[in-house]
Amino acid sequence: MDLELPQTQVEELINEVVTVSFLQVALQAEAQSLQLLLNEAALRADTTTIEGLLALLQQVARALLDYSRCWTHVAASSQTLNTITAGEALYNQLLNQERAKFSAETLTNVNGVITRQAPAIATRHATEPAYYVISLLLGTADDRPLFGDIYSASVLRDVLDDIRMMQTRYLMVFDVLWSPQDQRETLTETDLSTEYPILVRI
């Protein structure tokens, strides 16, 4: 994914300093309707423009805030880099790292190209705890990190509020990933500990 400033941003933000931010939230399975909302949002989103990406980012942040009662775990990092090249490298590393956790991406919308793939359904005992994980990855023209460590629901709420209010001129690239994407699937406690070991309970 390229961290490239549109011409309107180049005129205002002339340095090459970029910030790459990663926010991951695990939710209880009661948030199943959020999974459907994300699927629908991805289908409708205009991912070919910064304005479209910002609208999607704001929608995802609002949805996560609406489901705060279901939050169980969080992981967060925000790092400022001195060059766009270094920012691209970190962004792509984090994006590929998260995509590698999927057995299959059943729905993607990249640069306006939508693809679908049938999922392989895993079995789960009804008594097991069940979760969803939503990951936000942002590249912005900020000169400092967007947030620090997040260890409580109140701090997570503040961070999501700040993201929801982000201005268009600072957003360079954005990806949202959620696992699983198919409504018939959930993640188990074992899935969380093995695939998402940096998550911290809140």
Side-chain angles (χ1 to χ4, degrees), residues 124-141:
R124 181 181 66 84
H125 298 295
T127 56
E128 290 181 323
Y131 303 92
Y132 301 111
V133 173
I134 299 173
S135 306
L136 284 67
L137 185 57
L138 297 81
T140 63

Side-chain angles (χ1 to χ4, degrees), residues 49-188:
T49 67
I50 293 298
E51 291 77 12
L53 288 175
L54 181 62
L56 177 60
L57 171 59
Q58 291 171 335
Q59 185 175 3
V60 172
R62 282 195 301 268
L64 280 169
L65 285 166
D66 288 342
Y67 282 84
S68 60
R69 67 189 182 281
C70 297
W71 296 344
T72 61
H73 301 73
V74 66
S77 66
S78 187
Q79 183 176 346
T80 300
L81 302 105
N82 290 327
T83 67
I84 290 177
T85 300
E88 286 180 351
L90 178 58
Y91 190 98
N92 289 327
Q93 175 190 333
L94 292 170
L95 183 60
N96 292 332
Q97 173 183 296
E98 292 309 307
R99 281 182 168 163
K101 298 174 183 178
F102 290 83
S103 57
E105 283 189 86
T106 60
L107 174 63
T108 62
N109 182 348
V110 180
N111 294 326
V113 179
I114 296 172
T115 59
R116 293 176 179 271
Q117 182 176 335
I121 306 302
T123 58
R124 181 181 66 84
H125 298 295
T127 56
E128 290 181 323
Y131 303 92
Y132 301 111
V133 173
I134 299 173
S135 306
L136 284 67
L137 185 57
L138 297 81
T140 63
D142 291 278
D143 291 342
R144 59 182 180 179
L146 297 186
F147 45 78
D149 294 335
I150 301 175
Y151 290 113
S152 70
S154 61
V155 175
L156 176 55
R157 188 174 290 107
D158 290 342
V159 167
L160 286 169
D161 267 327
D162 289 342
I163 290 175
R164 187 172 55 86
M165 301 300 291
M166 182 178 294
Q167 299 180 49
T168 306
R169 68 177 183 272
Y170 286 101
L171 183 64
M172 302 166 73
V173 63
F174 166 61
D175 281 276
V176 57
L177 301 95
W178 59 102
S179 178
Q181 291 179 327
D182 190 272
Q183 286 191 287
R184 294 167 292 178
E185 294 184 275
T186 54
L187 300 172
T188 66

